[in-house]
Amino acid sequence: MIKIVKDNVILSIKEEDLAQYEARGYNKVGATKKVASKDLQKEVDKLTKKVEELTKANEILTDNNEKLTADNEKLVADNEKLTVEIEELKKKLK
């Protein structure tokens, strides 16, 4: 049984359970893991590529949002004009 005391909290875990968690890839908090620099560089490259893809997607969505906002403003203005015209027509019919 492993017992850890930190900040007035006690955590106990059986060594077999700890081994199972470590086998699944879980690490102790603050534990460092050695990784080959080649593997690390591959991961950095992969993340950099993903960031670039997400940045491009964000730019496209931002452009689309600006177009939709402009279209919405035009539709609101057209709606206001039509509402005024309808009110004028109602007044003429009375």
Side-chain angles (χ1 to χ4, degrees), residues 4-11:
I4 300 169
V5 179
K6 184 172 181 175
D7 298 331
N8 295 326
V9 176
I10 299 173
L11 170 69

Side-chain angles (χ1 to χ4, degrees), residues 49-65:
K49 183 178 178 184
K50 190 65 173 176
V51 167
E52 289 172 0
E53 291 172 3
L54 290 172
T55 301
K56 288 177 186 176
N58 185 50
E59 289 171 0
I60 291 169
L61 290 173
T62 301
D63 290 344
N64 288 343
N65 186 39

Side-chain angles (χ1 to χ4, degrees), residues 2 13-26:
I2 296 175
I13 187 168
K14 294 178 184 174
E15 290 187 43
E16 305 87 45
D17 293 339
L18 179 62
Q20 288 178 359
Y21 282 110
E22 289 175 338
R24 292 182 194 150
Y26 293 99

Side-chain angles (χ1 to χ4, degrees), residues 29-40:
V29 174
T32 57
K33 185 176 179 183
K34 293 187 179 188
V35 178
S37 62
K38 184 172 72 174
D39 293 338
L40 185 59

Side-chain angles (χ1 to χ4, degrees), residues 32-84:
T32 57
K33 185 176 179 183
K34 293 187 179 188
V35 178
S37 62
K38 184 172 72 174
D39 293 338
L40 185 59
Q41 187 59 46
K42 284 181 185 177
E43 188 68 21
V44 168
D45 292 344
K46 190 165 79 172
L47 290 173
T48 302
K49 183 178 178 184
K50 190 65 173 176
V51 167
E52 289 172 0
E53 291 172 3
L54 290 172
T55 301
K56 288 177 186 176
N58 185 50
E59 289 171 0
I60 291 169
L61 290 173
T62 301
D63 290 344
N64 288 343
N65 186 39
E66 289 172 1
K67 290 174 186 172
L68 289 172
T69 301
D71 290 347
N72 185 51
E73 290 171 358
K74 185 181 181 313
L75 289 172
V76 167
D78 290 346
N79 186 40
E80 289 172 359
K81 287 179 188 174
L82 290 173
T83 302
V84 169

